[in-house]
């Protein structure tokens, strides 16, 4: 298969590595900067790379791996150059706002979200085997051609990803809880610490911070652009989850103020029991 990848950064470059390693496909990359294209070829993430979208017009399957805000504008530029058989997919971390706009522009569009990543970005951050044992969510609508869904699922399984198929809305609701809300919670943890008025206490906290703080602050210390995109393009679900979280925090604050230790313990027992269900 001839596979096109637009946006040779962390996700696009990593997809290129693993698709190329299968020795079954020809991988053609397109990126904004010529230097990125050269580096992607040097690193072995693609067979060829160009800055012109026309270079992938003959691909059978195209992955759009640009930042979320550029996915629809890229598709708009791309579609006049494609035959109707070309399957176009994206890797954006939000789905409903992209998928419904994209399928208006290109009926053979299939939304996707490989749920793997790091805090780094750009072609230098691309990694081999990034998608192994990770979820690859595919979000068809009633209008999505089933055979295109099945081709994308086969490709995702060839990367050793675990394929999940669901509606764009369900995807966005679920990832708000486990991906987008944690970014906001973790970011507010860091900024709450920074409000400490005693310079001595703040310096001491920074010196003593260890694995607990590293775990809970990790996603809040990642790429700001990605956090803004999650909030902007999945706004309703992010606000809904944040408000629920705020209510939970208020309850915990009240229990502690009231010194209601049995109720606090009951709640912490419930969360201790529930956590493994999210980490199977
Ligand atoms: P990234 O490392 O910044 O890569 C995006 C690349 O796209 C940039 O390196 C840039 O390359 C290129 N680019 C930007 N605008 C472009 C345009 N208009 N046309 C062509 N190329 C363009 O970002 P990423 O983390 O891979 O994220 C890309 C997508 O993956 C996003 O939609 C994100 O939601 C999704 N995603 C990210 C993660 C994660 O953890 N990071 C996980 C799953 C999905 P140049 O150097 O050429 O400018």
């Amino acid at each position: 298969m001839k596979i096109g990848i637009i946006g040779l950064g962390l996700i696009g470059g990593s997809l290129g590595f693993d698709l190329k390693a299968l020795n079954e496909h020809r991988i053609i990359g397109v990126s904004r900067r010529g230097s990125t294209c050269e580096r992607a070829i040097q690193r072995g993430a693609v067979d060829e790379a160009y800055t012109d979208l026309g270079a992938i017009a003959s691909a059978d399957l195209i992955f759009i791996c640009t930042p979320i805000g550029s996915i629809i504008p890229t598709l708009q530029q791309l579609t006049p150059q494609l035959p109707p058989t070309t399957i176009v997919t994206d890797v954006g971390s939000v789905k409903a706002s992209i998928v419904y706009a994209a399928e208006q522009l290109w009926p053979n569009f299939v939304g996707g979200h490989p749920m793997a990543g790091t805090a780094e970005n750009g072609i230098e951050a691309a990694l081999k085997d990034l998608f192994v044992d990770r979820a690859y969510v595919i979000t068809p609508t009633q209008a999505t051609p089933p055979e295109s869904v099945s081709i994308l699922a086969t490709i995702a399984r060839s990367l050793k990803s675990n394929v999940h198929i669901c509606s764009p809305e369900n995807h966005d609701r679920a990832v708000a809880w486990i991906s987008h809300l944690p970014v906001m919670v973790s970011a507010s943890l860091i900024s709450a610490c920074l409000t400490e008025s005693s310079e001595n206490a703040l310096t001491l906290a920074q010196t003593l911070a260890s694995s607990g703080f590293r775990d809970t602050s990790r996603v809040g210390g990642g790429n700001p652009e990605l956090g803004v995109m999650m909030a902007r393009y999945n706004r309703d679900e992010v606000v809904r989850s944040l408000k629920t979280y705020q209510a939970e925090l208020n309850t915990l604050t009240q229990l502690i103020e009231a010194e209601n230790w049995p109720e606090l313990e009951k709640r912490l027992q419930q969360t201790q029991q529930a956590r493994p269900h999210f980490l199977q």
Side-chain angles (χ1 to χ4, degrees):
M1 205 183 241
K2 210 185 225 189
I3 297 182
I5 299 176
I6 307 174
L8 299 171
L10 166 67
I11 300 295
S14 303
L15 269 176
F17 276 139
D18 294 354
L19 289 170
K20 215 162 107 59
L22 297 171
N23 284 322
E24 290 169 18
H25 312 292
R26 180 136 194 99
I27 313 298
I28 307 164
V30 170
S31 214
R32 203 171 35 176
R33 289 180 293 173
S35 56
T36 301
C37 295
E38 280 165 31
R39 192 64 188 125
I41 297 170
Q42 256 173 20
R43 289 203 64 198
V46 290
D47 293 300
E48 315 160 35
Y50 308 89
T51 53
D52 174 14
L53 278 178
I56 50 168
S58 63
D60 305 295
L61 168 65
I62 297 176
F63 287 85
I64 304 183
C65 305
T66 64
I68 293 173
S70 305
I71 293 174
I72 294 299
T74 300
L75 187 64
Q76 270 163 339
Q77 285 175 45
L78 181 67
T79 52
Q81 317 188 40
L82 301 180
T85 48
T86 313
I87 302 169
V88 182
T89 184
D90 74 313
V91 296
S93 316
V94 299
K95 293 275 55 92
S97 57
I98 295 174
V99 170
Y100 292 109
E103 67 184 17
Q104 297 299 315
L105 297 167
W106 193 247
N108 207 352
F109 181 87
V110 188
H113 179 197
M115 297 194 61
T118 68
E120 309 299 317
N121 58 329
I123 184 64
E124 296 304 335
L127 294 171
K128 290 182 178 145
D129 294 331
L130 183 65
F131 308 103
V132 173
D133 288 335
R134 306 303 296 270
Y136 199 118
V137 189
I138 299 178
T139 58
T141 69
Q142 291 197 330
T144 315
E147 56 287 3
S148 301
V149 174
S150 147
I151 289 170
L152 180 60
T154 303
I155 292 281
R157 287 192 190 101
S158 75
L159 302 173
K160 302 197 179 75
S161 293
N162 305 318
V163 172
H164 299 266
I165 296 186
C166 68
S167 70
E169 292 82 359
N170 260 350
H171 167 277
D172 289 355
R173 201 160 173 150
V175 297
W177 287 118
I178 51 88
S179 175
H180 303 170
L181 175 64
V183 169
M184 303 305 157
V185 167
S186 172
S188 11
L189 168 68
I190 301 170
S191 54
C193 292
L194 292 177
T195 65
E196 172 55 59
S197 55
S198 155
E199 214 170 294
N200 280 345
L202 180 59
T203 308
L204 187 59
Q206 287 168 337
T207 310
L208 298 180
S210 181
S211 55
F213 192 82
R214 186 174 299 116
D215 291 347
T216 49
S217 66
R218 185 177 64 81
V219 292
N223 182 352
E225 198 185 345
L226 199 55
V228 173
M229 291 296 164
M230 289 168 173
R232 186 167 166 188
Y233 291 91
N234 195 20
R235 195 182 68 121
D236 292 352
E237 294 300 340
V238 172
V239 168
R240 198 174 70 88
S241 64
L242 270 171
K243 286 188 172 161
T244 309
Y245 182 70
Q246 248 162 12
E248 288 293 318
L249 276 183
N250 287 342
T251 304
L252 288 185
T253 308
Q254 282 157 13
L255 289 177
I256 295 168
E257 279 174 348
E259 301 190 9
N260 188 345
W261 312 130
E263 182 58 27
L264 179 64
E265 186 175 357
K266 197 171 118 200
R267 284 181 165 258
L268 294 179
Q269 274 167 352
Q270 282 166 352
T271 54
Q272 185 186 38
Q273 279 165 16
R275 183 172 182 264
H277 297 295
F278 289 88
L279 298 170
Q280 283 156 0

